[in-house]
């Protein structure tokens, strides 16, 4: 069974600075995908970035990058140049590229609340 | 044009009632999901359907019954509602299972009194 751990319940960052949100995962599968989602106070779930287990390059999407360290089983999210609108809950998630009952199942971490100070 | 829509957005009901939440996606995706987010914000999958076929059925009480009339719709019916069913329910869709990211609906906040 897969497991995602986010050890930072809350993080604070100054506007325009960079911040790293930690995520570690546990699976015995070799093929998997790692995802980050943002949930603002309005409640919707917004997809941010994806990393496949076989991808050699770290994923980047605008100000978001995923620091993927396969041997350490970590998939940290880096947000550069933080903005006030980045204040939200952030979830790390994993999906196995497997058939059967794991098909497409996203397993989520506990989430990290990010607060950006002006 | 909303990609994944859910109705209603808010649902307040009494214990013991039966209620339904509807979900529709206009993305042409093959796979749809129901997730439950509890009061501590923890998200857990409940069901997934691929092309109207049930794929994932996590340990969910029999009172919860998903129904997929076509691949664009996945509804959730809940019988005999209990206090512990109070949560936010999210519908999501993806082109396929596996590594595709999932697009989430806006969520339905269910409150059982």
């Amino acid at each position: 069974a897969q497991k995602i751990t986010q050890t930072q319940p809350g993080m604070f960052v100054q506007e325009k600075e960079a911040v790293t949100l930690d995520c570690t995962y546990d699976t015995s599968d070799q093929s998997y995908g790692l995802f980050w989602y943002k949930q603002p106070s309005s409640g919707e779930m917004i997809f941010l970035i994806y990393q496949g287990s076989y991808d050699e390059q770290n994923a980047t999407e605008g100000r978001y990058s995923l620091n993927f360290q396969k041997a350490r089983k970590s998939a940290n999210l880096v947000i550069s140049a933080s903005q006030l609108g980045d204040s939200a809950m952030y979830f790390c998630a994993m999906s196995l590229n497997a058939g059967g009952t794991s098909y497409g199942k996203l397993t989520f971490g506990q989430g990290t609340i990010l607060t950006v100070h002006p | 044009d909303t990609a994944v829509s859910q109705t209603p957005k808010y649902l307040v009901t009494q214990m013991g009632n039966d209620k339904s939440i509807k979900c529709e996606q206009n993305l042409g995706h093959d796979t749809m999901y129901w997730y439950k987010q509890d009061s501590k914000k923890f998200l857990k999958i409940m069901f997934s359907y691929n092309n109207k076929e049930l794929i994932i059925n996590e340990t969910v009480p029999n009172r919860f019954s998903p129904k997929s009339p076509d691949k664009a719709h996945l509804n959730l019916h809940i019988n005999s509602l209990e206090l512990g069913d109070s949560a936010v329910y999210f519908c999501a869709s993806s082109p396929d299972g596996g590594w595709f990211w999932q697009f989430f609906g806006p969520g339905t906040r269910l409150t059982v009194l």
Side-chain angles (χ1 to χ4, degrees):
Chain A
Q2 63 266 38
K3 187 179 178 184
I4 295 278
T5 303
Q6 294 178 253
T7 56
Q8 305 155 316
M11 287 286 285
F12 295 90
V13 67
Q14 209 68 28
E15 197 179 5
K16 297 179 187 175
E17 293 189 347
V19 63
T20 298
L21 306 184
D22 294 342
C23 172
T24 57
Y25 60 93
D26 187 24
T27 181
S28 54
D29 280 64
Q30 297 302 309
S31 295
Y32 49 87
L34 296 156
F35 307 81
W36 278 91
Y37 282 84
K38 173 184 177 182
Q39 187 175 40
S41 58
S42 50
E44 70 269 32
M45 293 288 290
I46 303 167
F47 165 73
L48 295 178
I49 196 166
Y50 156 80
Q51 177 88 38
S53 59
Y54 292 121
D55 295 340
E56 293 185 354
Q57 302 265 28
N58 285 344
T60 59
E61 287 287 347
R63 294 185 300 109
Y64 304 108
S65 60
L66 200 153
N67 184 358
F68 180 45
Q69 297 188 42
K70 197 170 182 177
R72 298 178 66 179
K73 294 191 173 178
S74 74
N76 299 338
L77 177 70
V78 181
I79 305 175
S80 62
S82 296
Q83 302 172 354
L84 296 178
D86 294 335
S87 293
M89 175 85 95
Y90 288 80
F91 290 98
C92 181
M94 177 167 65
S95 174
L96 301 181
N97 187 24
T101 57
S102 292
Y103 193 68
K105 171 183 170 180
L106 272 181
T107 299
F108 285 87
Q110 309 93 312
T112 296
I113 300 175
L114 176 66
T115 304
V116 181
H117 289 304
Chain B
D1 239 7
T2 306
V4 182
S5 59
Q6 292 179 230
T7 51
K9 187 162 174 63
Y10 299 97
L11 189 50
V12 181
T13 188
Q14 299 286 336
M15 229 169 29
N17 284 350
D18 303 339
K19 289 293 176 187
S20 292
I21 305 171
K22 294 186 176 181
C23 177
E24 177 182 0
Q25 55 96 2
N26 61 7
L27 298 166
H29 289 170
D30 283 340
T31 311
M32 295 184 73
Y33 311 82
W34 278 110
Y35 288 87
K36 178 181 179 180
Q37 186 173 40
D38 64 22
S39 58
K40 294 185 178 174
K41 299 289 190 180
F42 186 66
L43 275 151
K44 188 170 163 50
I45 192 164
M46 300 173 70
F47 303 102
S48 82
Y49 271 74
N50 181 261
N51 236 333
K52 302 195 296 174
E53 182 185 345
L54 179 65
I55 301 295
I56 294 174
N57 183 349
E58 290 288 284
T59 314
V60 177
N62 290 340
R63 300 182 294 103
F64 290 80
S65 54
K67 281 190 172 53
S68 182
D70 55 61
K71 76 174 194 178
H73 295 85
L74 180 61
N75 303 324
L76 183 65
H77 188 76
I78 316 169
N79 289 328
S80 304
L81 278 155
E82 299 177 358
L83 295 177
D85 297 332
S86 294
V88 179
Y89 292 85
F90 284 99
C91 176
S93 75
S94 67
D96 202 345
W99 287 354
F100 289 98
W101 50 90
Q102 296 173 19
F103 294 84
F104 281 73
T108 295
R109 181 174 294 277
L110 171 65
T111 304
V112 182
L113 303 175

